[in-house]
Amino acid sequence: MYSFLAIEVLVLPAFIEKELYSIFEYYKFIIFSSPFLMLGVSSGFLYCNYNLKSNYFNELVIFGTIYALIVVVPIAWVYFDNILFVVLCFLMVLSVFVEQKLQTQKMFVLALGLKPLISIFLVISVAIFYVGGYDGKTINTLFFSMILAFLLWLLIAYNKLELYKSNNVDIKKYFIMLKKGFPINAGTILIMLFFFCDRFIAKEYYSADLATYSLAYNLIQFIILALSTLAYTNVVDIGERGHDVNFIFFKNKLIYNYKIFLILLILFVFFIFGISSMYNFDNIVCYSLVMAILLGNYFTINTISSIALYLDFFKKIVWAMFSLFLFNIALSYLFVRFELEYIYFLIKTGVLLNFSALYFMWLLIGRLRNENK
């Protein structure tokens, strides 16, 4: 399925105007991030399903939809006065609810099929316009293609859902999911805010760099997706050990993950030099390599971050990331004020995220040494 995502990443910037590509990727990032405004309630649904053995899907859909209409939709409308954009943000939230339910039914292929389907619809729409010679590609054209993909996926998913009727819908169950889910998602929300900050600054102050940043960010997803797969398997391994994680286990896991990262990085270097000539994007090689090295290192360490949940120091990591994010905003303001080149924003974000990763390692090593004593 990821091959369809790869095709979209490579095709869109080659066949649509740079300005349209940059603004579309900017708003697409916001659309895909809109479920974070739900404050982790969908993750709380999974927690309640697996840990409390309780199915709160009715509460998730009913009260989650109400919350989305009251909070997510107005925020989206105020931020970008485009009805298709607002509809997409709302559909993205609903799709996450459905995706989590499909995961509990172990229908993982369908659960993960939404974004590849969106990629297929986007590539087809661009191909139709390109082959037909139409000069009508607009952001609304791309948004409409995404809406069609969302509706098709939701229709297919709805027919596969195991639903139950109940008149006993309790809002307290929704708040239980929210309480359990927010701490799980807090770190991810902060990571997305780091990336959004860079995109926002590029859009407002470095518009010539927005397209290059967007393409570089999409290209390094090949590395991040591979590392995310490692993180997923590590969650299982760490979960099986629970509190029995020791220093040897940690060291072996980290060494293995770094070997994978170095292989990915070497392949990425050849890849980026090979395709850079396909695009008329200034500094694409430089931006891609800086992000691949710094963010790749961060996500390599992050593959074992679930240890923090089991050893009960996850809140310390979140507070550290929150402090670094505030520092990030202050530095970003100074960088804009002194008109530094945009590459320094990418270095800043990568370095700050790696500081949080190093803090995690320092806490973990200290905890494991104390337990060994």
Side-chain angles (χ1 to χ4, degrees), residues 201 205-206 209 331-345:
I201 288 170
Y205 303 102
Y206 297 84
D209 292 286
L331 283 180
S332 297
Y333 171 78
L334 292 175
F335 284 13
V336 171
R337 187 72 180 271
F338 289 102
E339 299 181 350
L340 297 184
E341 293 183 13
Y342 189 69
I343 186 65
Y344 292 106
F345 288 88

Side-chain angles (χ1 to χ4, degrees), residues 223-233 299 303:
I223 294 178
I224 294 176
L225 282 173
L227 294 174
S228 298
T229 303
L230 274 179
Y232 182 81
T233 59
F299 280 102
T303 56

Side-chain angles (χ1 to χ4, degrees), residues 205-267:
Y205 303 102
Y206 297 84
S207 57
D209 292 286
L210 181 58
T212 304
Y213 171 82
S214 299
L215 179 56
Y217 179 87
N218 286 340
L219 290 173
I220 67 163
Q221 295 307 305
F222 297 131
I223 294 178
I224 294 176
L225 282 173
L227 294 174
S228 298
T229 303
L230 274 179
Y232 182 81
T233 59
N234 285 340
V235 168
V236 177
D237 292 342
I238 293 168
E240 290 176 348
R241 283 177 169 265
H243 293 278
D244 295 328
V245 172
N246 55 41
F247 184 78
I248 300 298
F249 173 83
F250 157 70
K251 184 182 73 172
N252 291 338
K253 275 289 182 185
L254 196 60
I255 291 174
Y256 175 77
N257 292 344
Y258 263 107
K259 288 179 181 178
I260 299 297
F261 169 54
L262 290 176
I263 293 172
L264 292 170
L265 186 59
I266 292 170
L267 293 174

Side-chain angles (χ1 to χ4, degrees), residues 9-214:
V9 167
L10 297 174
V11 167
L12 256 63
F15 292 98
I16 65 176
E17 298 82 0
K18 187 186 294 187
E19 183 178 351
L20 174 58
Y21 174 75
S22 63
I23 201 69
F24 171 67
E25 287 294 329
Y26 178 82
Y27 287 114
K28 188 179 76 169
F29 177 84
I30 296 174
I31 291 166
F32 286 161
S33 301
S34 57
F36 288 117
L37 291 173
M38 301 301 296
L39 304 179
V41 69
S42 56
S43 295
F45 164 75
L46 287 181
Y47 178 92
C48 293
N49 185 84
Y50 291 120
N51 294 78
L52 304 182
K53 308 301 179 185
S54 301
N55 185 355
Y56 294 163
F57 185 66
N58 285 355
E59 285 78 9
L60 176 67
V61 172
I62 293 172
F63 297 114
T65 300
I66 294 171
Y67 177 87
L69 289 172
I70 295 175
V71 176
V72 177
V73 168
I75 290 175
W77 191 279
V78 169
Y79 192 78
F80 185 32
D81 186 11
N82 182 303
I83 186 62
L84 298 181
F85 170 76
V86 175
V87 169
L88 282 167
C89 289
F90 180 69
L91 289 176
M92 188 69 222
V93 170
L94 292 184
S95 298
V96 170
F97 296 163
V98 174
E99 177 187 324
Q100 304 294 61
K101 176 61 175 174
L102 290 171
Q103 287 187 37
T104 64
Q105 297 175 201
K106 300 188 183 301
M107 302 184 70
F108 299 110
V109 173
L110 182 56
L112 298 174
L114 175 59
K115 288 186 178 179
L117 187 62
I118 291 173
S119 296
I120 292 171
F121 272 72
L122 286 173
V123 170
I124 290 175
S125 66
V126 169
I128 290 173
F129 275 86
Y130 182 77
V131 174
Y134 302 116
D135 189 23
K137 297 186 293 295
T138 65
I139 195 168
N140 284 339
T141 304
L142 300 174
F143 280 166
F144 187 70
S145 298
M146 291 180 67
I147 288 176
L148 291 178
F150 270 104
L151 293 178
L152 177 59
W153 184 83
L154 285 169
L155 178 62
I156 296 171
Y158 177 78
N159 291 322
K160 299 293 184 179
L161 290 178
E162 297 173 356
L163 302 174
Y164 69 96
K165 294 182 180 180
S166 174
N167 296 323
N168 186 23
V169 179
D170 188 354
I171 194 172
K172 292 180 181 178
K173 295 177 182 178
Y174 183 82
F175 286 110
I176 291 173
M177 291 186 286
L178 191 63
K179 180 181 178 181
K180 299 297 183 181
F182 179 73
I184 298 173
N185 272 252
T188 307
I189 292 171
L190 287 168
I191 293 172
M192 290 299 104
L193 286 174
F194 270 99
F195 294 147
F196 174 74
C197 184
D198 285 345
R199 285 182 184 267
F200 178 80
I201 288 170
K203 177 177 177 289
E204 297 297 327
Y205 303 102
Y206 297 84
S207 57
D209 292 286
L210 181 58
T212 304
Y213 171 82
S214 299

